[in-house]
Amino acid sequence: MPPHTKEHLKRLFRSLTDSRRFGKGNFRHKLPDMLHLVCAARLSGCHTRKEIIAYGEAHLDELRSEFGILENGIPSESTLHRMEKAIDNDEFSRLYSKFACMLAQECRPSATGNPMVFAVDGKAMRGTTQSNGRSPDIVSLYDTGSGIVLDMEMCQEKSNEIKATPKTIRRTALPEGAVVTGDAMNCQKDIVDLIRGNGHDYFIALKANQKEVRWSVEDELPKMTPDEEYHSDVELGHGRIHERHCRVFRDLSRISGIGKFRDVRAVVEVETRTTRKSTGEQCAQTRYYITSHTGDARQQDYISRRHWAIENNLHWELDTLQQQDAMKRKDTQTARNNDIIQKIVHAILSFASHCRLPTEIANSKEKMKTRIKSLATMAKNNTKFAFSLMAI
């Protein structure tokens, strides 16, 4: 690993403004020290504040020798709570994005012949409830190549992903040739215009929120001959047989209303068939997408599959390994800071999966989700390994 990467995490924590009221009280613990403690504990499978404190007490000497922190001992549960609540959300998110973009650039795979796909999607933080009774949504811009979230934005209480998505796209400098993918919520003229205005391509799901276009696609495509087709290899996983068939339609003259989307080059139809091996039960689903990307059917199929990495890797890891939905936070500010800390832990694990993967995991040829789970298990069982992951 290049030497200059070893200061990324320290620089992130030291750059964050300590917003606690220093005119009152006795401040025994530095903000970077507490953030190091929380990240090390969460890498080791500790989630609640009580678990983090117990972890710190058990490994205090190692934390001091490794990071030079916590000279006054372990902070209390109330101190950790005040820390989470006092951090400025916007500053923390901005510093995280700078940190994440540097890591992603260092571990993003080299040219593979496939498009670079960046997925946008929202996730509800179910451990927090707003005054309107709903859980706040966090929209993430996810680099599917490196497996790292580059930017995120919390939806305002009376708003939704349509307002939050453009903010993440505007703030992030994506590489040339990037393809931004999104679900049907993001199938909006303004979002498409923004993506194209930044010089990138889009690949966005088409559903009933765009009624005229969707209904026209459903009516006309069965009568049309696709310009290109691609059948992916049959796959077996989790006791199910998966088949995919991708069709690309470039003549859009018969599709009503599609002209309002800037530079739309094709409608993509992806049909999936799943057969449960034990029972023979079959399930078929057809999805439609609009895209400005000019790639062939194989590339279009690749893009559609890569979008699901934000669900299958990021959201799965946050829920399953980091227990995000189980964490109760009374206010949205604390919840958002907690989400940023969890994204830092996820970035550390994703970076390790590309740049410092242990031999026993690298040889298993498993997917990203399994590699991250294996890294998290090793960190939980080996304190020195967890500390080594934070040396970035």
Side-chain angles (χ1 to χ4, degrees):
M1 181 174 53
H4 67 276
T5 63
K6 295 182 179 179
E7 294 297 318
H8 287 343
L9 191 61
K10 288 183 180 179
R11 191 179 303 117
L12 166 63
F13 292 155
R14 289 172 181 171
S15 300
L16 187 60
T17 303
D18 193 339
S19 302
R20 292 176 293 175
R21 296 181 301 170
F22 284 95
K24 286 186 176 182
N26 177 24
F27 293 87
R28 302 175 62 240
H29 306 288
K30 299 176 183 177
L31 177 60
D33 291 9
M34 290 189 286
L35 289 171
H36 270 97
L37 167 63
V38 171
C39 284
R42 289 192 171 167
L43 273 170
S44 300
C46 301
H47 307 296
T48 68
R49 298 187 188 110
K50 288 184 178 179
E51 290 174 342
I52 291 170
I53 291 168
Y55 173 88
E57 290 171 345
H59 301 286
L60 180 58
D61 291 340
E62 296 163 283
L63 287 164
R64 284 173 172 169
S65 62
E66 184 70 26
F67 302 111
I69 60 175
L70 302 171
E71 59 184 17
N72 291 321
I74 304 301
S76 66
E77 188 174 351
S78 59
T79 300
L80 290 178
H81 169 67
R82 287 193 297 270
M83 176 201 72
E84 282 187 2
K85 190 172 183 179
I87 293 174
D88 182 278
N89 297 156
D90 293 331
E91 182 190 18
F92 199 12
S93 179
R94 186 175 66 253
L95 290 170
Y96 164 81
S97 296
K98 184 177 180 180
F99 163 80
C101 288
M102 287 188 291
L103 290 190
Q105 188 173 2
E106 290 174 10
C107 66
R108 189 175 292 140
S110 56
T112 61
N114 290 317
M116 292 181 288
V117 180
F118 298 83
V120 179
D121 196 18
K123 180 185 181 301
M125 301 191 70
R126 305 196 183 279
T128 303
T129 304
Q130 298 171 315
S131 59
N132 60 3
R134 296 175 55 189
S135 298
D137 285 320
I138 302 284
V139 173
S140 299
L141 177 59
Y142 179 73
D143 179 355
T144 67
S146 67
I148 294 175
V149 177
L150 303 183
D151 195 89
M152 63 280 233
E153 179 72 24
M154 176 178 279
C155 299
Q156 297 300 313
E157 187 166 346
K158 295 183 180 181
S159 185
N160 55 34
E161 295 179 30
I162 297 173
K163 300 295 184 182
T165 295
K167 296 178 182 178
T168 66
I169 296 174
R170 288 192 189 99
R171 288 194 297 251
T172 310
L174 299 178
E176 184 178 352
V179 180
V180 180
T181 67
D183 59 14
M185 178 76 79
N186 296 304
C187 192
Q188 307 292 331
K189 178 181 180 300
D190 291 343
I191 293 177
V192 165
D193 287 346
L194 175 61
I195 295 171
R196 291 300 293 155
N198 287 349
H200 310 308
D201 284 311
Y202 59 85
F203 187 95
I204 300 179
L206 178 64
K207 291 187 179 180
N209 62 328
Q210 296 290 342
K211 295 181 181 179
E212 180 184 6
V213 182
R214 170 72 189 215
W215 292 345
S216 180
V217 163
E218 290 182 349
D219 289 342
E220 298 298 334
L221 258 57
K223 309 172 189 175
M224 298 167 60
T225 301
D227 294 271
E228 295 175 19
E229 296 185 67
Y230 174 74
H231 289 267
S232 65
D233 294 335
V234 177
E235 297 179 357
L236 174 63
H238 303 288
R240 293 188 292 265
I241 300 171
H242 300 274
E243 300 175 81
R244 293 172 61 86
H245 185 192
C246 178
R247 303 179 182 91
V248 179
F249 299 84
R250 303 194 189 280
D251 180 7
L252 307 178
S253 58
R254 296 163 62 178
I255 307 301
S256 176
I258 202 167
K260 68 180 179 180
F261 296 107
R262 179 176 173 181
D263 297 336
V264 59
R265 306 277 168 73
V267 170
V268 179
E269 178 189 78
V270 178
E271 181 184 2
T272 58
R273 294 185 178 275
T274 303
T275 304
R276 190 173 292 276
K277 193 175 179 182
S278 58
T279 64
E281 179 184 356
Q282 293 187 340
C283 176
Q285 187 174 24
T286 301
R287 296 186 178 93
Y288 298 102
Y289 304 87
I290 59 171
T291 182
S292 63
H293 194 263
T294 58
D296 58 23
R298 185 197 66 79
Q299 289 183 321
Q300 303 289 4
D301 183 68
Y302 172 84
I303 295 169
S304 72
R305 298 190 70 173
R306 292 308 299 160
H307 174 77
W308 292 102
I310 194 170
E311 291 281 357
N312 297 333
N313 295 338
L314 174 65
H315 294 169
W316 174 88
E317 192 265 340
L318 291 175
D319 282 338
T320 305
L321 300 183
Q322 298 204 50
Q323 304 294 311
Q324 186 178 85
D325 285 348
M327 290 188 181
K328 306 298 182 183
R329 295 294 184 267
K330 292 183 178 179
D331 61 271
T332 56
Q333 180 167 323
T334 305
R336 187 180 179 194
N337 284 330
N338 183 60
D339 175 75
I340 297 172
I341 292 172
Q342 290 175 319
K343 296 283 176 58
I344 292 173
V345 173
H346 175 79
I348 291 170
L349 291 170
S350 296
F351 182 82
S353 73
H354 288 281
C355 298
R356 49 174 70 169
L357 198 62
T359 304
E360 57 269 35
I361 299 177
N363 291 340
S364 66
K365 299 181 181 179
E366 294 289 354
K367 296 180 180 179
M368 172 73 80
K369 181 168 72 173
T370 308
R371 292 203 301 267
I372 286 182
K373 183 178 180 180
S374 299
L375 285 167
T377 301
M378 289 186 68
K380 184 177 181 179
N381 297 328
N382 188 327
T383 302
K384 289 186 178 180
F385 179 69
F387 289 166
S388 72
L389 296 181
M390 296 177 64
I392 57 177

